[in-house]
Amino acid sequence: MLIIIYIFHQYTSETREIPLMKITDIQIVVTCPGRNYVLVKVVTDQPGLYGWGDATLNGRELAVASALRDHIAPLLIGRDAGRIEDTWQSIFRGTYWRGGPVLMTALAGIDLALWDIKGKQAGLPVYALLGGPTRAGALAYRHCDGRDAAEIADNIRAAHALGYTVFRAQVDVPGEAQFPDTTWIDSTTYYQPFEDAPYLRAIPRLFEALRHELGETPEILHDVHERLTPIQAARLAHDLEPYRPFFLEDPIRPEHKESLNIVRQHSTTPLAMGELFNHRWECLPLITQQLIDYVRVDIAHIGGISEARKIAAIAEAYHVKMAFHGPPDVAPITHAANVHTDMAIPNFGVQESSIFPEEVADVFRGTPTFADGLLRVSDAPGLGTDVNEAAAARYPFQPGGYLPTLRRPDGSVQDW
Ligand code: CS2
Ligand code: MG
């Protein structure tokens, strides 16, 4: 009997050592330090203990802000901030409506804030909570896009001098195919041309010129941005083979995923896909059928770190690596979450890095830093990021940050 009482006492006293952290408030901050960002602050009843998450979906910012403010936050007030998985499940499954970019971005905002809180409570960086570091930092790639091969080669040389070893190369085919970056486009009717045949000729020529200029060592990748049909993508992957691309990204539209079989059958060029996916089930056929080599999901659009580490674990079993999306259209908080996850998972591949508008430094602290080819996060507790709310208020939301639409020469819509 005494033994039973002793065990019961040990159990209850141990569980009581983790203090409950009630969520007392959830604030949504929409700010535009050069780009629009939707930020989520989860506040607890523990003095000074709060977490920041990123819930930015560019071009649809206010839809996510409303989903959070009007529909999700009210469900969470009073709940234990320490129950990350339970909160994830209760938002994803418990509220019935699930999936899609708006809801999964909203969920990511909450998830990241809860991981931030968990780390702060434990006094540990999030990568330590995820199992501890498996590497010194995250191998990063840099965008080196340009108007022609000579300009791209110069950009690669300049990035190499900074310590980068992996580079992305996009080129315009003047008047026929444009690869806009996602800088501010203040219009809903901004069209750009795309014609597939000149594009399909131009990219192998670009890679041939880059290899001629730079030799075989720079790792160079290309993002098709979902523009090709499966057989066109197969042709491109095949034509690029002699130039050993690091990977070919998003070769086809994301809807019918098994179409990647066609690309796969014709080429050994490594394939990457996933920035338009919203949860693990969209990745599943590509991983289990080994149709891709890198999963490119966006942590801010798949429900956060909780989902990212599950996708990574499934991918690991199939020799597929992770290459989380890292564009400047998600906030530095997501970039920090990327690197914390990259640090902990065994099957990390490469991390996309971004240059943010200058004003971003006024609002955010703890953006990952780059040195010697690697992105790193500090070992500060949580995600190591913080938001200067007064500065954020000085950069109000700017409507109109839409992506352009691509049109074929006959005027019909083309995937962007
Ligand atoms: C791109 C993105 O980084 C990438 O791989 O595909 O820049 C993408 O165009 C934007 O995130 C769209 O908002
Ligand atoms: Mg992309």
Side-chain angles (χ1 to χ4, degrees):
M1 187 60 185
L2 270 181
I3 288 173
I4 290 170
I5 289 170
Y6 175 75
I7 290 171
F8 181 72
H9 174 75
Q10 286 296 98
Y11 174 74
T12 49
S13 56
E14 268 174 29
T15 52
R16 272 198 213 111
E17 276 171 21
I18 302 175
L20 272 187
M21 305 176 288
K22 271 196 181 165
I23 297 173
T24 52
D25 194 14
I26 296 181
Q27 296 157 16
I28 315 302
V29 174
V30 185
T31 179
C32 186
R35 311 217 36 144
N36 284 326
Y37 296 117
V38 179
L39 311 173
V40 187
K41 185 180 189 183
V42 176
V43 183
T44 75
D45 61 357
Q46 303 298 300
L49 187 55
Y50 60 83
W52 280 103
D54 173 30
T56 306
L57 180 63
N58 63 321
R60 302 292 182 277
E61 298 88 354
L62 299 186
V64 182
S66 166
L68 280 162
R69 187 183 292 120
D70 302 323
H71 305 295
I72 294 173
L75 305 173
L76 302 181
I77 304 301
R79 289 178 56 98
D80 179 5
R83 297 178 64 177
I84 302 176
E85 182 65 26
D86 183 69
T87 304
W88 198 98
Q89 297 293 334
S90 76
I91 295 174
F92 182 73
R93 291 194 293 145
T95 59
Y96 193 60
W97 303 112
R98 64 188 80 186
V102 172
L103 292 179
M104 296 310 280
T105 303
L107 177 49
I110 300 292
D111 186 78
L112 295 186
L114 295 185
W115 279 102
D116 193 29
I117 290 171
K118 182 74 86 187
K120 287 173 177 168
Q121 185 195 31
L124 293 170
V126 166
Y127 69 76
L129 302 182
L130 297 174
T134 59
R135 52 183 47 83
L139 173 72
Y141 73 82
R142 168 104 164 207
H143 293 202
C144 291
D145 314 341
R147 278 165 300 184
D148 54 30
E151 189 174 80
I152 295 172
D154 284 346
N155 291 342
I156 290 179
R157 284 191 199 97
H160 185 252
L162 296 173
Y164 288 90
T165 55
V166 189
F167 314 93
R168 188 182 89 157
Q170 309 293 102
V171 74
D172 282 351
V173 188
E176 299 193 278
Q178 270 181 277
F179 271 96
D181 61 12
T182 52
T183 43
W184 204 255
I185 292 157
D186 190 10
S187 167
T188 48
T189 53
Y190 182 80
Y191 298 120
Q192 293 184 318
F194 184 76
E195 185 50 78
D196 45 23
Y199 167 73
L200 283 166
R201 287 192 295 271
I203 302 306
R205 274 206 305 264
L206 168 68
F207 270 73
E208 183 185 16
L210 292 177
R211 286 291 172 228
H212 182 75
E213 273 290 305
L214 303 166
E216 59 187 13
T217 42
E219 296 286 5
I220 307 173
L221 58 97
H222 176 70
D223 186 352
V224 179
H225 227 282
E226 305 94 12
R227 292 178 181 191
L228 296 176
T229 65
I231 199 65
Q232 289 175 326
R235 159 62 60 199
L236 180 59
H238 174 266
D239 288 352
L240 287 176
E241 262 185 37
Y243 314 113
R244 298 281 193 273
F246 185 83
F247 62 57
L248 190 62
E249 177 183 343
D250 284 343
I252 59 168
R253 290 169 55 178
E255 287 87 10
H256 189 261
K257 297 173 176 56
E258 281 81 358
S259 294
L260 275 173
N261 262 310
I262 296 170
V263 189
R264 207 57 160 170
Q265 279 161 17
H266 290 92
S267 158
T268 57
T269 291
L271 302 177
M273 188 139 186
E275 69 182 55
L276 283 171
F277 297 172
N278 296 126
H279 50 60
R280 82 198 78 142
W281 293 278
E282 290 196 84
C283 304
L284 212 50
L286 301 189
I287 295 173
T288 59
Q289 296 171 44
Q290 293 177 298
L291 298 180
I292 55 172
D293 303 280
Y294 296 87
V295 181
R296 289 272 298 139
V297 288
D298 188 316
I299 284 187
H301 302 156
I302 54 159
I305 290 172
S306 297
E307 186 69 355
R309 62 182 186 149
K310 290 176 187 175
I311 295 172
I314 299 167
E316 182 197 355
Y318 291 89
H319 311 285
V320 176
K321 293 182 178 181
M322 303 305 292
F324 293 114
H325 192 217
D329 45 48
V330 291
I333 296 168
T334 295
H335 287 255
N338 285 342
V339 178
H340 279 279
T341 312
D342 298 337
M343 290 280 290
I345 57 176
N347 55 327
F348 164 70
V350 73
Q351 179 57 58
E352 181 178 24
S353 65
S354 280
I355 308 294
F356 289 101
E358 268 176 27
E359 306 91 303
V360 160
D362 291 345
V363 175
F364 295 96
R365 275 209 313 275
T367 303
T369 52
F370 175 83
D372 305 325
L374 303 179
L375 277 169
R376 296 163 206 267
V377 280
S378 77
D379 54 8
L383 290 172
T385 48
D386 210 351
V387 174
N388 179 334
E389 292 175 69
R394 289 200 296 274
Y395 299 106
F397 171 72
Q398 300 291 319
Y402 296 101
L403 299 171
T405 306
L406 277 193
R407 296 266 179 189
R408 303 296 300 273
D410 68 359
S412 59
V413 169
Q414 157 73 39
D415 292 85
W416 187 74

